[in-house]
Amino acid sequence: MKSYLKLTNEEKKAELEALYGMLEAEKAKGYKLDMSRGKPAPDQLDMSMDMLSVAPETMIRSCKGTDARNYGVLDGLDEAKELFAEILGLSPNNIIVGGQSSLNLMYDCIIRAFVFGVYGGSKPWGQQGKLKFLCPVPGYDRHFRITEEFGIEMINIPMSPEGPDMALVKEYVENDPAVKGIWCVPKYSNPQGYTYSAETVKAFAALKPAADDFRIFWDNAYIVHAFREKDDELLNIFDACAEYGSEDMVYEFMSTSKVTFPGSGVAVIAASENNVKFILKQMGVQTIGFDKVNQLRHVNYLKDAEGVKAHMEKLAELMRPKFDCVVNTLSENLGDLEIGKWTNPNGGYFVCFEGLPGTAKRCVGLCAEAGVKLTGAGAPFPYGKDPEDSTIRIAPSFPSVEQLSDSIKVFCICQRIAALETLIS
Amino acid sequence: MKSYLKLTNEEKKAELEALYGMLEAEKAKGYKLDMSRGKPAPDQLDMSMDMLSVAPETMIRSCKGTDARNYGVLDGLDEAKELFAEILGLSPNNIIVGGQSSLNLMYDCIIRAFVFGVYGGSKPWGQQGKLKFLCPVPGYDRHFRITEEFGIEMINIPMSPEGPDMALVKEYVENDPAVKGIWCVPKYSNPQGYTYSAETVKAFAALKPAADDFRIFWDNAYIVHAFREKDDELLNIFDACAEYGSEDMVYEFMSTSKVTFPGSGVAVIAASENNVKFILKQMGVQTIGFDKVNQLRHVNYLKDAEGVKAHMEKLAELMRPKFDCVVNTLSENLGDLEIGKWTNPNGGYFVCFEGLPGTAKRCVGLCAEAGVKLTGAGAPFPYGKDPEDSTIRIAPSFPSVEQLSDSIKVFCICQRIAALETLIS
């Protein structure tokens, strides 16, 4: 196929007419396909069913003899802390195993910072007037919804395959005390699947914030979620911070939502011992403890970092063909048209498509008409506003490969239409 | 035994010397007994072990076909909402099944009210200067710790066997817009085991708060926790509110922490549909959903309100002898001495002992010396300050009957010592 940029206006119009016809044919198929959310597929969840038949008697006692069924142990059972410490390359003293939703932990960190402040901060965020957060874009819509809810001004930071633009991050963080935090998905970023380079991680560690209560929200959601032979390497941010004594600046998060069961997994906050102590003191007013039976269920099932890796390799077998299908179908249908590019990550949950400016909303709308649901255009940006209206997040995990193939074919028709509509003069 | 109030000073001194000797003998036994917290005993937890072997395949699909293992359904699965609606005498539309800790739900309601406000309120609590909360006393220490954390002034409201002093509650609530809430444990109250009378509940429903954002925190923690033949009757506060159109004023809470496993149970907030909608909108920013597999686990195990009742009857068999032991041992050892009175509830988790003024701290300290750990004197009061220093919360659930018998004997010796020390002139 010839680049759309090289077509004459007449050729574009003819092509567009043909595509409208193709789209009508797709609509007639009555699809009901969903690529909107990063949800595991049922067959992926089936892989963890054995966790639900872990022997009941192994969920009673922790290694220290604590009765996991009873109240207490706010920071999590030792064996659970050890499992996550091993995965994160930290000490169990840096771990709080808290509930089943890392998003909930992030929200709670922010609302407590807002009302009570953070370790080392001179006053609560909420008593300091206008606040700002840096938002690498495209990013995770649910991060942005939290900061939006608090009326925190969100500032777009461009992403590259190396991570966020660190010169810009440094400029904001080191000069503006209203900047209280930054949202990061450092490995297999949502939605691009980029992994921050070692230089980027070091630049984070080297930050000297103007605010005494600035925090990096390091959402390591996809830390164990490689699905190709090569697993991206992410420098341990706490190792990098150790050189600068900046460990108190980082809150790291992870969960087993996409390891075992979303919503029924185990979520973790990892932080310096200063932060851990401070957070536990606040958390101890909020609750007596989290679900320790579920902690033991996970430890008994996953065992250790090696066990998690083996489990994730089984899930990778299911994910890889889906991502292959997406990128191959995109290549086949859009390869030479010069109307968009897309990422091809080694892990995570998303492919990010970047089309011509002004095409994303139109494409998502056309797909919806043909029964293919995509994440809303703009969703990966603060306030839902994609300045270029060009970025679309594709979530290949939930549909089957067949459904994906159908969906992406429809997507490509819609992208071609949207592109031609903007190109025709 | 003769009333201590009728002894001569010499007789008191002789008795006191004898008691010091008895206490030394008890100390020599090297007890390590704990009556400090309302924790279920291991044999009680054993009663729910079958819940951990619920067939895995029954934890996949909800009645509506939702995959419980995946993301979503913020307000809880239908069958879980139905179970709790039936127990609470409400409609499923009034229920949010949220997480595993009702204390966490209460804290979150308060922190969100603080930052964002409540349904119908004109501004967030946190933007209204000095706030106040009413605290029926004695009450639950963890309630009071939450309001203390927020710097909310706590006002003691005396309890009677009918519930809080409603004339006083009405006076505060209807005249002072700074009064934003009241902590209530309406059935088998912590620590007295009192159940609010129908008149009390109606008086709550009839309140016309000065604040447009006042909330009753109705912590129905012991709603199904009868352990004698007679179960106290508590009027459904939402039924009472229906007469006054005051349903939006109430947040009701319950959990299965003391039905199945503390920390690994299911917690619920029940409220008017206006409140439920408002809360879900706020909660939807905080999390994608709670542990639905655990919701199905509970529903499959407990079935319905009848199933919960049958389960609680088994637990009652374990609780009753413990409460019998406490009240009988107290009667035998303190019966005629006129140095204290105690409650004898039909359910709940506590016996409340009220000694002579100025004796509680001393008694708790003496017990600790003899290896018997009690809830700290003052704990059932805001700021940990018992104005009379007379109230001690006894938590009989965790120790065995034998341990309880030993503990209460020690307790009685200590109470007698503390009483005589204040009586000797």
Side-chain angles (χ1 to χ4, degrees):
Chain A
M1 282 184 296
K2 202 166 144 190
S3 163
Y4 278 6
L5 306 183
K6 292 173 188 155
L7 297 183
T8 65
N9 226 23
E10 287 318 298
E11 283 173 323
K12 286 176 199 164
K13 281 179 184 163
E15 172 81 354
L16 187 56
E17 282 312 309
L19 286 163
Y20 285 147
M22 285 164 73
L23 185 59
E24 286 310 311
E26 294 297 320
K27 281 187 195 172
K29 294 180 184 165
Y31 286 136
K32 229 187 136 182
L33 303 168
D34 192 340
M35 293 193 299
S36 68
R37 300 302 311 177
K39 283 169 70 166
D43 58 354
Q44 194 171 334
L45 302 175
D46 288 343
M47 293 285 189
S48 298
M49 283 305 286
D50 284 349
M51 196 180 71
L52 299 183
S53 40
V54 158
E57 62 274 16
T58 65
M59 286 184 274
I60 299 177
R61 295 249 158 246
S62 80
C63 53
K64 273 209 184 141
T66 311
D67 191 330
R69 304 167 303 175
N70 220 325
Y71 285 112
V73 198
L74 180 60
D75 54 343
L77 295 176
D78 285 327
E79 46 265 79
K81 292 203 283 181
E82 272 159 31
L83 170 63
F84 292 104
E86 192 191 355
I87 293 172
L88 292 164
L90 294 168
S91 142
N93 297 336
N94 300 120
I95 306 286
I96 300 170
V97 187
Q100 38 69 266
S101 159
S102 54
L103 193 74
N104 197 325
L105 290 174
M106 293 174 224
Y107 178 98
D108 284 6
C109 280
I110 286 182
I111 200 166
R112 286 189 308 247
F114 207 83
V115 178
F116 305 114
V118 301
Y119 172 78
S122 46
K123 41 174 161 164
W125 287 4
Q127 290 172 22
Q128 299 182 50
K130 184 94 199 135
L131 305 179
K132 299 174 189 170
F133 240 72
L134 305 185
C135 301
V137 290
Y140 179 32
D141 57 347
R142 286 188 172 272
H143 287 162
F144 304 153
R145 266 181 74 187
I146 294 177
T147 25
E148 185 174 3
E149 176 93 343
F150 285 83
I152 297 172
E153 185 190 332
M154 293 182 279
I155 297 165
N156 290 1
I157 303 290
M159 279 286 292
S160 83
E162 309 294 305
D165 178 338
M166 290 309 294
L168 200 55
V169 168
K170 186 177 156 77
E171 196 187 311
Y172 277 114
V173 171
E174 302 199 343
N175 294 299
D176 188 350
V179 173
K180 294 303 177 197
I182 180 167
W183 290 117
C184 298
V185 182
K187 189 170 176 183
Y188 303 130
S189 69
N190 177 350
Q192 291 166 310
Y194 293 153
T195 297
Y196 294 9
S197 69
E199 286 61 40
T200 299
V201 176
K202 284 176 196 164
F204 269 108
L207 287 173
K208 305 257 175 276
D212 60 11
D213 49 5
F214 170 82
R215 287 294 181 276
I216 297 166
F217 283 71
W218 199 251
D219 182 4
N220 216 336
Y222 306 107
I223 181 171
V224 293
H225 299 68
F227 50 69
R228 301 205 188 279
E229 219 165 302
K230 180 183 175 301
D231 184 9
D232 292 2
E233 260 184 61
L234 174 71
L235 187 66
N236 183 335
I237 189 165
F238 287 102
D239 288 348
C241 286
E243 280 195 40
Y244 301 90
S246 60
E247 295 93 331
D248 293 341
M249 193 169 58
V250 182
Y251 291 157
E252 184 170 13
F253 303 90
M254 70 164 289
S255 81
T256 68
S257 285
K258 283 155 184 157
V259 174
T260 58
F261 302 127
S264 305
V266 178
V268 163
I269 172 166
S272 69
E273 290 189 39
N274 289 331
N275 278 323
V276 163
K277 249 181 257 166
F278 192 86
I279 291 169
L280 285 175
K281 205 167 153 270
Q282 294 183 332
M283 234 181 207
V285 181
Q286 184 182 27
T287 189
I288 301 169
F290 298 100
D291 187 341
K292 298 186 299 299
V293 169
N294 203 33
Q295 289 174 23
L296 279 188
R297 183 180 288 119
H298 275 75
V299 174
N300 286 328
Y301 177 63
L302 296 168
K303 310 289 182 202
D304 50 21
E306 204 49 49
V308 171
K309 195 160 176 264
H311 180 73
M312 293 313 289
E313 277 165 14
K314 289 191 282 178
L315 301 187
E317 298 295 320
L318 300 171
M319 292 291 266
R320 200 181 317 113
K322 294 184 179 182
F323 278 77
D324 286 345
C325 171
V326 170
V327 295
N328 293 339
T329 312
L330 288 171
S331 288
E332 283 157 25
N333 290 277
L334 303 178
D336 307 314
L337 303 181
E338 296 192 272
I339 59 166
K341 49 190 183 175
W342 51 92
T343 57
N344 183 8
N346 293 321
Y349 260 66
F350 305 102
V351 169
C352 188
F353 185 91
E354 197 188 332
L356 298 180
T359 57
K361 263 191 205 145
R362 174 65 172 153
C363 174
V364 170
L366 287 171
C367 284
E369 284 177 30
V372 175
K373 195 177 166 195
L374 291 164
T375 310
F381 292 81
Y383 312 106
K385 282 183 199 152
D386 176 356
E388 298 285 314
D389 185 29
S390 62
T391 301
I392 294 176
R393 183 180 85 164
I394 296 172
S397 56
F398 193 75
S400 66
V401 173
E402 290 68 32
Q403 290 172 327
L404 268 179
S405 170
D406 292 339
S407 303
I408 297 293
K409 277 177 198 154
V410 171
F411 173 84
C412 289
I413 294 170
C414 298
Q415 265 299 333
R416 289 163 70 182
I417 291 174
L420 286 168
E421 286 174 348
T422 69
L423 288 172
I424 287 171
S425 47
Chain B
M1 282 186 298
K2 205 166 142 189
S3 163
Y4 277 4
L5 305 182
K6 291 173 187 156
L7 297 183
T8 66
N9 228 23
E10 288 318 298
E11 284 172 320
K12 286 176 199 163
K13 282 176 184 168
E15 172 82 354
L16 187 54
E17 283 312 310
L19 286 163
Y20 285 146
M22 286 165 71
L23 184 58
E24 286 310 310
E26 295 297 320
K27 280 187 197 173
K29 294 179 185 166
Y31 287 135
K32 228 187 136 180
L33 303 167
D34 192 341
M35 293 193 298
S36 68
R37 299 302 313 176
K39 283 170 71 165
D43 58 354
Q44 194 172 334
L45 301 175
D46 288 342
M47 293 286 190
S48 297
M49 282 306 286
D50 285 348
M51 196 179 70
L52 299 183
S53 40
V54 158
E57 63 273 17
T58 65
M59 285 183 275
I60 299 177
R61 295 248 158 246
S62 80
C63 54
K64 272 209 185 141
T66 311
D67 191 331
R69 304 167 303 175
N70 220 326
Y71 285 112
V73 199
L74 179 61
D75 54 343
L77 295 175
D78 285 327
E79 46 266 77
K81 292 203 284 181
E82 271 159 30
L83 170 63
F84 292 105
E86 191 191 356
I87 292 172
L88 292 164
L90 294 168
S91 144
N93 297 337
N94 300 120
I95 305 286
I96 301 170
V97 187
Q100 38 68 268
S101 159
S102 55
L103 193 73
N104 197 327
L105 290 174
M106 293 174 223
Y107 178 98
D108 284 5
C109 281
I110 286 182
I111 201 165
R112 286 190 308 247
F114 207 82
V115 178
F116 305 113
V118 301
Y119 173 78
S122 45
K123 42 174 161 165
W125 287 4
Q127 290 173 20
Q128 300 182 49
K130 185 94 201 134
L131 305 179
K132 299 174 189 172
F133 241 72
L134 305 184
C135 301
V137 291
Y140 180 32
D141 56 348
R142 286 190 171 271
H143 286 163
F144 304 154
R145 266 181 74 188
I146 294 177
T147 25
E148 186 175 2
E149 176 93 342
F150 285 83
I152 297 173
E153 185 188 331
M154 294 182 279
I155 297 164
N156 289 1
I157 302 290
M159 280 285 293
S160 82
E162 309 293 306
D165 178 339
M166 290 309 293
L168 201 54
V169 168
K170 185 178 157 76
E171 197 187 309
Y172 277 113
V173 172
E174 303 200 342
N175 294 299
D176 188 350
V179 173
K180 295 301 176 197
I182 180 168
W183 289 117
C184 297
V185 182
K187 190 168 175 185
Y188 303 131
S189 68
N190 177 351
Q192 291 166 310
Y194 293 153
T195 298
Y196 295 9
S197 69
E199 286 61 39
T200 298
V201 177
K202 284 177 197 165
F204 269 108
L207 287 173
K208 306 253 174 280
D212 60 12
D213 50 6
F214 170 84
R215 287 295 181 275
I216 298 166
F217 283 72
W218 199 251
D219 182 3
N220 217 336
Y222 306 107
I223 181 171
V224 293
H225 300 68
F227 51 69
R228 299 205 187 280
E229 218 165 305
K230 180 184 174 299
D231 184 9
D232 292 1
E233 262 184 58
L234 174 69
L235 187 65
N236 183 336
I237 190 165
F238 287 103
D239 288 349
C241 286
E243 279 195 40
Y244 301 90
S246 59
E247 295 95 331
D248 292 340
M249 192 168 58
V250 182
Y251 291 156
E252 184 169 14
F253 303 89
M254 72 163 288
S255 82
T256 67
S257 284
K258 283 155 184 157
V259 174
T260 58
F261 302 127
S264 305
V266 179
V268 163
I269 173 165
S272 70
E273 290 190 38
N274 288 332
N275 277 324
V276 163
K277 248 180 258 167
F278 192 86
I279 291 169
L280 286 175
K281 202 163 155 276
Q282 294 184 332
M283 236 181 205
V285 181
Q286 185 182 28
T287 189
I288 302 170
F290 298 99
D291 187 341
K292 298 186 298 300
V293 169
N294 203 33
Q295 290 174 21
L296 279 188
R297 184 180 286 120
H298 274 75
V299 174
N300 285 328
Y301 178 64
L302 296 169
K303 310 288 182 203
D304 51 21
E306 203 49 50
V308 171
K309 194 161 179 263
H311 181 74
M312 293 311 289
E313 277 166 14
K314 288 191 282 178
L315 301 187
E317 297 295 321
L318 301 172
M319 292 292 266
R320 200 182 316 113
K322 295 184 179 183
F323 278 77
D324 285 345
C325 171
V326 170
V327 296
N328 293 338
T329 312
L330 288 170
S331 288
E332 283 157 25
N333 290 277
L334 303 177
D336 307 315
L337 302 181
E338 296 192 272
I339 58 165
K341 51 190 183 174
W342 50 92
T343 56
N344 184 8
N346 292 321
Y349 259 65
F350 305 102
V351 168
C352 188
F353 184 90
E354 197 187 335
L356 298 180
T359 57
K361 264 190 205 147
R362 175 67 173 152
C363 174
V364 170
L366 287 170
C367 284
E369 286 176 29
V372 174
K373 194 177 166 196
L374 291 164
T375 310
F381 294 81
Y383 313 106
K385 283 183 198 152
D386 176 357
E388 298 283 314
D389 186 29
S390 62
T391 301
I392 295 175
R393 183 180 84 163
I394 296 172
S397 55
F398 194 74
S400 67
V401 174
E402 291 66 34
Q403 290 171 326
L404 268 178
S405 170
D406 292 339
S407 303
I408 297 293
K409 278 177 198 156
V410 171
F411 173 83
C412 290
I413 293 170
C414 298
Q415 264 299 334
R416 289 163 70 183
I417 291 173
L420 285 168
E421 286 174 348
T422 68
L423 288 171
I424 287 169
S425 46

